[in-house]
Amino acid sequence: MKQFAALVSILGTSTKTNDKLEALSNYFSTANDADKVWVIALFSGRRPKRVVNASLLQQWCIELTQLPVWLFEESYHTVGDLAETIALLLPQTTGNDGNDAQPLHTYLTQLVKLEKETETVKKEYIVTCWMQMTKDERFVFNKLLTGGFRVGVSQKTIVNALAQAVQLPAAVIAHRISGNWDPSTTAFQSLLSEEHASLDSSKPYPFYLAYPLEANPQTLGEPAEWQAEWKWDGIRGQLIKRNNELFVWSRGEELMTDKFPEYNDLNTLLPDGTVLDGEIIPGIDGQPLPFALLQTRIGRKNVTRKQLQEAPINFFAYDLLEYNHEDWRPKSLTERRQQLEQVVNGAQHPALLLSTIVPFDTWEQLAATRRQARDHFAEGLMLKRKSSSYQVGRKVGDWWKWKIDPFTIDAVMIYAQKGHGRRSNLYTDYTFAVRDGDKLVSFTKAYSGLTDKEFNEVDAFVKRHAIEKFGPVRTVKPELVFEIAFEGIVASNRHKSGVALRFPRISRWRKDKKPDEINTLDDLKQMLRLYGTAGGEQT
Amino acid sequence: MLIEFTDKGLYCSAGNFYIDPWKPVDKAVITHAHSDHARWGHKAYLSHYLTVPLLQARLGPQQYQGIGWNEPVYMNGVKVSLHPAGHIIGSSQVRVEYQGEVWVVSGDYKTENDGISGAFEPVPCNTFITESTFGLPIYTWQPQPVIFEQVREWVQRNGKARQNSVFIAYSLGKAQRLLKALEPLQQPVYVHGAVWNMHQALVSAGIDLPPVQRITPETPKETFQSAIIIAPPSADGSPWMKKFTPYEVGVCSGWMQVRGNMRRRNADAAFALSDHADWPGLLSAVKATGAQQVYVTHGFQSAFSRYLNEQGIWSAEVKTEYGGEEETEENTVTEDNTTGGAA
Ligand SMILES: [Zn+2]
Ligand SMILES: [Zn+2]
């Protein structure tokens, strides 16, 4: 556990990708095999089920430390992370210095067993573990318990580190560790072996991801070398038909087959050994619908008939990764596209559609088309080099996403709250309001988007101009104006303003504007009428 | 109230003097030389004699009076004495006694003896005015020897990888403690001008500190090979650091107890080494004074005073303009940079 805690500590604090890579590759070369399998699982999103909920952990920590509840909460608010708060609050132990008595996998195996045990048994095990651990070990242990295990490394870095340690090409590793496998029953050797990979017919290919296009598209060269498509606002997914079974994977490496019964018939309609890459998106008669409708579907365990009618899900296919059991990724996009069109047309299923190609002759012409993206419920355009193969992960050069500019609105800050995690000592979480006659109506929170220097400035303003306290929230003098950018707007009866925004963030500080120059509630309602949806209750 | 809380600072009207005032006054008793406690513009300064040279280095020639610990002076019949606070060299608590009533102002303090600042002395009193910089139970420090060991291990690891070790530490307090931590390595220690100034002031006042080498614009880059460098927070990430490439940055601060802060500082390593009392330290200090009432200043004052009240010790929070040692230090360092190399 010590070795793992040290690894997590480096990954969590190091700012250099190379250091992270080195730490991981070092870990994969020295740790025991059972631990390695778990680390791959944890770092690729295969967490064990949550054994206890956060409030129980909090309760046990309070019992052990005899702190008042409010003081625990105050501490939690300052630290910004429950696992870390508990690790810091528990009485210090001398720690079992140097001897890594319990390796990572023994804890994880215990935790899997513990799942079905009573609360008393769980508590006894967890408290005993706590009292034998150092601060860093407690932190990762708590992270495992609460299931909130996230590390600051990309899948790509993990794949590269493994590739370095076991001397295999990164693409092979990426493929083998994806898909459906259970860390408690899989051995390290078999996870990385060829037989295992072919046995598991549900395995998706690693997704090829596009970089945002920031430069002028002219820099990409000849328009004729490029294919343009709409950039859909759905869930990126792979549709897999192998061994007469159909699988639907999301980019988040989640198997979602059961969530979309619309696709069921494709199992008989698609040829065996086919893998399609595309967008999972609600649509009727080939026309996409707003993303908000998809969210009503994925949150639920069982899909109702009503949902199937109101938000039918389509698959907008844009690439063919496997055909006739053969890996087509090395072929050119043009070649893959031709075959893709045949596959989709051959299946003749209303839920399976081709993501249309947007024709263009000049970049100016395409720029004009891009401005209409919102009318198509698209976020912009995708530009793909016609000669490109299908690569692994995010690579610069052949695939670009050319998003439309976000919506913006000028608003005044009215509440501030301290941030979490790395900004836990600064007021960095703000609530904003627009004007409604002579009143101010709050309509959104927004977090990121300012530089550290600006955060410090706003923080100082909040400390000097706080009017009222409600717990951690400060009401501040409405004076600072910010431009808020967002990707979409829906009607909401849970917000005073009647609207909810998608991905709101601070785009810049409008020091040039006074609070009486901000936008109004009518401006927001106007945007809702033009681009919004009657989303209603969903969040 | 023997000591009142005014907009100029803590004021004793019976003795007609202020303690660590933040606006210019006639008579100021100064707990220690950090710039948020020792400000410019007072007519007369009274402090521990080891604080005087530091004040001179920071504020230039003024009317200073230095006294030792436990050597009372009388002002208008009010008995005033200083007692070790253990925060930095010269740092003192101020004990004020008048007509049988005793108040103690802690200034900044730490209860662990760091071997250079003098051991914190609990002073019995009726009313205690305490700082609360780290007044939450998440702040419980590891003992100094453990952190010092981590510091040395880090330097040695960097040395093996042929990297320089750059410590980010306050020029007054943390820098001197680091020197003690690094002494067993018997390697030269290179310092930023701000650290150098404080070091000079302390050495000329007769304090025994390991030697340091000042880094100037003329210092050749080749000097720094698996070397140790100490720089103030304002130098972190500035072009001044270029010379040390390849290097790793280690931040020394109590705030590094929390991972989020460590990430925010972009540090390669972090050492939760503080010159302030941790939570158990604050509690033990308060209890050791036996005070019936406790006023809590800069830090987590609302949490700490609420906790004391719940423990049956009457307490209230007091708004002061202390805190922010880091920002104020940055100003002095910028000045140092502009005159850089002249000295
Ligand atoms: Zn201080
Ligand atoms: Zn202070």
Side-chain angles (χ1 to χ4, degrees):
Chain A
M1 192 70 155
K2 251 199 192 70
Q3 195 184 3
F4 179 63
L7 173 69
V8 170
S9 182
I10 294 175
L11 297 179
T13 53
S14 170
T15 51
K16 300 166 196 142
T17 312
N18 252 341
D19 289 355
K20 293 184 185 183
L21 185 65
E22 205 187 295
L24 272 167
S25 138
N26 189 28
Y27 183 88
F28 285 131
S29 315
T30 54
N32 75 60
D33 280 356
D35 279 11
K36 284 190 277 197
V37 170
W38 271 106
V39 169
I40 297 168
L42 291 170
F43 289 7
S44 59
R46 291 169 186 80
R47 304 176 196 111
K49 278 213 191 100
R50 204 167 64 174
V51 179
V52 287
N53 61 34
S55 58
L56 273 179
L57 287 183
Q58 171 169 347
Q59 190 188 313
W60 299 339
C61 173
I62 287 172
E63 275 172 35
L64 279 170
T65 55
Q66 307 228 313
L67 290 172
V69 176
W70 66 265
L71 189 54
F72 181 95
E73 275 163 5
E74 189 79 33
S75 299
Y76 178 22
H77 192 77
T78 300
V79 175
D81 180 289
L82 185 76
E84 189 181 355
T85 308
I86 293 174
L88 288 169
L89 287 179
L90 290 170
Q92 281 191 5
T93 55
T94 47
N96 43 346
D97 270 317
N99 52 19
D100 203 346
Q102 298 266 44
L104 171 69
H105 71 269
T106 51
Y107 288 108
L108 283 157
T109 318
Q110 279 300 321
L111 290 187
V112 172
K113 280 189 205 146
L114 218 53
E115 221 181 281
K116 291 176 198 77
E117 292 291 350
T118 61
E119 200 182 299
T120 327
V121 175
K122 288 178 181 174
K123 179 177 174 183
E124 197 190 302
Y125 176 71
I126 290 168
V127 169
T128 313
C129 289
W130 273 348
M131 298 319 286
Q132 289 165 352
M133 289 174 168
T134 63
K135 192 179 84 180
D136 286 348
E137 288 176 296
R138 281 172 185 166
F139 171 70
V140 292
F141 180 62
N142 291 344
K143 283 284 178 196
L144 295 172
L145 288 174
T146 50
F149 206 86
R150 230 166 268 131
V151 276
V153 276
S154 64
Q155 180 102 354
K156 195 168 127 191
T157 309
I158 291 155
V159 166
N160 286 342
L162 256 179
Q164 241 175 50
V166 301
Q167 306 278 320
L168 278 172
V172 173
I173 298 278
H175 191 207
R176 290 190 190 163
I177 68 168
S178 58
N180 213 357
W181 54 276
D182 179 356
S184 45
T185 57
T186 307
F188 185 68
Q189 288 310 327
S190 72
L191 175 65
L192 295 180
S193 73
E194 191 66 60
E195 303 89 83
H196 181 261
S198 56
L199 267 180
D200 186 357
S201 58
S202 80
K203 260 187 178 41
Y205 290 95
F207 286 87
Y208 180 19
L209 308 172
Y211 258 92
L213 181 69
E214 260 129 38
N216 189 311
Q218 304 280 1
T219 56
L220 298 180
E222 278 303 306
E225 288 174 14
W226 293 85
Q227 172 176 313
E229 299 161 21
W230 291 116
K231 186 187 180 316
W232 301 115
D233 184 13
I235 296 175
R236 179 88 180 270
Q238 273 178 44
L239 206 61
I240 298 174
K241 158 82 185 287
R242 286 190 196 121
N243 295 338
N244 288 315
E245 256 191 289
L246 189 79
F247 305 96
V248 183
W249 284 92
S250 76
R251 206 195 106 194
E253 285 230 343
E254 211 182 327
L255 194 56
M256 303 182 91
T257 319
D258 300 339
K259 302 234 181 233
F260 308 115
E262 289 95 334
Y263 301 156
N264 285 352
D265 290 344
L266 287 169
N267 191 24
T268 48
L269 297 171
L270 284 173
D272 205 61
T274 302
V275 178
L276 304 177
D277 180 15
E279 201 85 1
I280 298 165
I281 192 169
I284 286 180
D285 300 332
Q287 289 304 309
L289 295 170
F291 182 72
L293 289 171
L294 180 55
Q295 288 177 312
T296 62
R297 285 280 300 269
I298 50 186
R300 312 272 161 101
K301 250 213 168 103
N302 298 307
V303 184
T304 64
R305 181 180 296 273
K306 185 161 166 273
Q307 282 179 319
L308 284 174
Q309 272 165 7
E310 281 175 0
I313 302 299
N314 292 171
F315 190 88
F316 281 34
Y318 34 62
D319 219 321
L320 180 70
L321 310 188
E322 182 177 309
Y323 180 63
N324 211 0
H325 298 285
E326 192 195 330
D327 184 353
W328 271 51
R329 294 177 299 162
K331 296 181 194 285
S332 75
L333 172 63
T334 309
E335 216 177 325
R336 299 198 307 271
R337 174 80 196 189
Q338 268 172 11
Q339 192 59 49
L340 172 74
E341 290 181 5
Q342 287 196 12
V343 170
V344 171
N345 293 334
Q348 291 241 358
H349 188 278
L352 178 63
L353 299 155
L354 277 168
S355 178
T356 47
I357 291 179
V358 178
F360 71 107
D361 296 317
T362 65
W363 293 118
E364 292 78 21
Q365 193 191 345
L366 189 63
T369 312
R370 169 174 161 264
R371 281 193 280 277
Q372 300 155 20
R374 258 186 201 123
D375 304 334
H376 297 261
F377 291 106
E379 301 180 293
L381 290 168
M382 292 295 302
L383 299 173
K384 299 174 179 174
R385 197 187 294 275
K386 288 179 181 167
S387 60
S388 65
S389 62
Y390 190 95
Q391 300 165 51
V392 170
R394 210 177 286 284
K395 292 264 164 62
V396 182
D398 290 338
W399 277 29
W400 299 96
K401 49 183 176 192
W402 192 22
K403 292 228 244 180
I404 35 173
D405 300 327
F407 297 106
T408 61
I409 197 148
D410 291 331
V412 68
M413 177 177 82
I414 54 170
Y415 307 121
Q417 198 170 345
K418 281 192 181 168
H420 279 283
R422 83 181 191 104
R423 300 189 195 281
S424 56
N425 278 309
L426 293 177
Y427 284 97
T428 56
D429 295 0
Y430 315 128
T431 302
F432 298 91
V434 284
R435 204 159 273 288
D436 181 23
D438 51 8
K439 284 187 316 220
L440 289 172
V441 179
S442 70
F443 70 105
T444 193
K445 279 185 159 212
Y447 306 88
S448 54
L450 295 183
T451 63
D452 277 0
K453 193 168 163 264
E454 286 172 326
F455 272 129
N456 286 332
E457 252 182 273
V458 179
D459 178 70
F461 174 88
V462 172
K463 283 172 183 155
R464 249 177 294 120
H465 295 98
I467 304 168
E468 272 179 296
K469 282 187 189 181
F470 304 103
V473 180
R474 300 285 171 277
T475 308
V476 292
K477 199 166 144 205
E479 195 172 295
L480 306 187
V481 177
F482 295 86
E483 182 181 273
I484 309 297
F486 53 99
E487 298 301 322
I489 183 165
V490 293
S492 160
N493 42 24
R494 300 214 316 218
H495 293 76
K496 220 193 279 174
S497 60
V499 299
L501 309 184
R502 275 190 74 205
F503 299 129
R505 68 234 180 230
I506 304 166
S507 56
R508 60 193 168 127
W509 188 349
R510 296 296 305 257
K511 289 186 175 173
D512 55 319
K513 284 212 168 181
K514 294 203 179 61
D516 54 357
E517 295 172 82
I518 60 172
N519 284 97
T520 62
L521 189 59
D522 281 342
D523 296 335
L524 273 177
K525 286 184 175 157
Q526 168 93 357
M527 284 180 174
L528 183 64
R529 263 196 303 281
L530 289 175
Y531 303 107
T533 47
E537 284 303 318
Q538 78 278 354
T539 45
Chain B
M1 298 257 289
L2 186 49
I3 292 170
E4 292 158 53
F5 306 109
T6 74
D7 59 356
K8 289 182 180 165
L10 310 184
Y11 178 58
C12 174
S13 58
N16 193 24
F17 62 89
Y18 287 83
I19 298 168
D20 290 355
W22 46 84
K23 287 201 178 127
V25 301
D26 286 346
K27 181 88 193 166
V29 179
I30 301 295
T31 59
H32 67 291
H34 275 147
S35 47
D36 53 327
H37 290 259
R39 302 203 188 217
W40 189 84
H42 311 310
K43 285 208 180 107
Y45 292 77
L46 172 70
S47 69
H48 188 266
Y49 61 81
L50 286 176
T51 299
V52 174
L54 296 168
L55 295 178
Q56 266 160 347
R58 278 214 146 128
L59 308 174
Q62 305 281 344
Q63 193 194 313
Y64 299 115
Q65 184 192 350
I67 55 172
W69 286 318
N70 286 299
E71 290 172 8
V73 292
Y74 289 85
M75 293 192 247
N76 277 351
V78 176
K79 183 179 172 189
V80 178
S81 56
L82 302 181
H83 304 263
H87 173 55
I88 59 169
I89 292 172
S91 67
S92 305
Q93 308 174 72
V94 183
R95 181 184 185 277
V96 179
E97 180 180 349
Y98 187 60
Q99 293 176 346
E101 193 180 347
V102 179
W103 287 48
V104 169
V105 177
S106 78
D108 292 345
Y109 66 98
K110 72 170 172 290
T111 45
E112 185 186 25
N113 185 354
D114 66 11
I116 47 177
S117 309
F120 175 85
E121 176 195 321
V123 184
C125 57
N126 306 102
T127 302
F128 186 45
I129 303 177
T130 178
E131 64 133 324
S132 62
T133 308
F134 291 106
L136 280 182
I138 50 171
Y139 299 108
T140 303
W141 312 138
Q142 289 187 289
Q144 173 167 296
V146 174
I147 300 176
F148 278 11
E149 189 56 42
Q150 292 167 0
V151 162
R152 288 189 289 263
E153 274 171 12
W154 183 68
V155 169
Q156 284 170 322
R157 220 177 318 130
N158 292 339
K160 274 192 201 127
R162 308 203 166 276
Q163 285 180 312
N164 294 310
S165 304
V166 181
F167 287 98
I168 301 298
Y170 295 154
S171 54
L172 178 54
K174 216 66 65 65
Q176 290 78 40
R177 276 177 87 189
L178 265 180
L179 285 181
K180 289 286 188 191
L182 297 165
E183 205 173 11
L185 293 177
Q186 300 199 312
Q187 258 181 269
V189 176
Y190 299 91
V191 301
H192 184 277
V195 179
W196 169 262
N197 288 346
M198 287 301 125
H199 193 267
Q200 283 307 98
L202 289 165
V203 169
S204 25
I207 304 275
D208 181 28
L209 288 173
V212 298
Q213 320 261 348
R214 179 175 190 170
I215 301 165
T216 69
E218 286 74 42
T219 316
K221 189 185 181 326
E222 297 70 54
T223 315
F224 308 109
Q225 304 214 352
S226 300
I228 303 171
I229 293 121
I230 303 180
S234 64
D236 192 5
S238 75
W240 181 82
M241 308 257 288
K242 278 225 181 77
K243 243 190 205 176
F244 313 126
T245 317
Y247 63 84
E248 295 271 297
V249 176
V251 176
C252 304
S253 160
W255 299 112
M256 297 301 114
Q257 180 85 340
V258 174
R259 275 160 199 260
N261 291 332
M262 195 172 150
R263 240 172 292 136
R264 196 167 109 74
R265 290 294 298 266
N266 262 344
D268 301 305
F271 306 99
L273 182 69
S274 177
D275 279 327
H276 292 269
D278 61 1
W279 173 261
L282 290 170
L283 286 176
S284 68
V286 164
K287 282 182 190 146
T289 62
Q292 297 93 48
Q293 49 180 18
V294 176
Y295 290 100
V296 183
T297 67
H298 62 311
F300 291 96
Q301 63 266 34
S302 61
F304 190 53
S305 80
R306 178 172 171 187
Y307 185 78
L308 290 179
N309 277 313
E310 289 181 5
Q311 299 295 302
I313 300 171
W314 185 94
S315 174
E317 27 176 329
V318 179
K319 221 176 147 177
T320 62
E321 292 190 12
Y322 308 137
E325 276 160 15
E326 192 170 349
E327 288 99 272
T328 35
E329 171 149 296
E330 280 183 32
N331 295 335
T332 58
V333 171
T334 330
E335 279 162 34
D336 180 76
N337 280 344
T338 49
T339 57

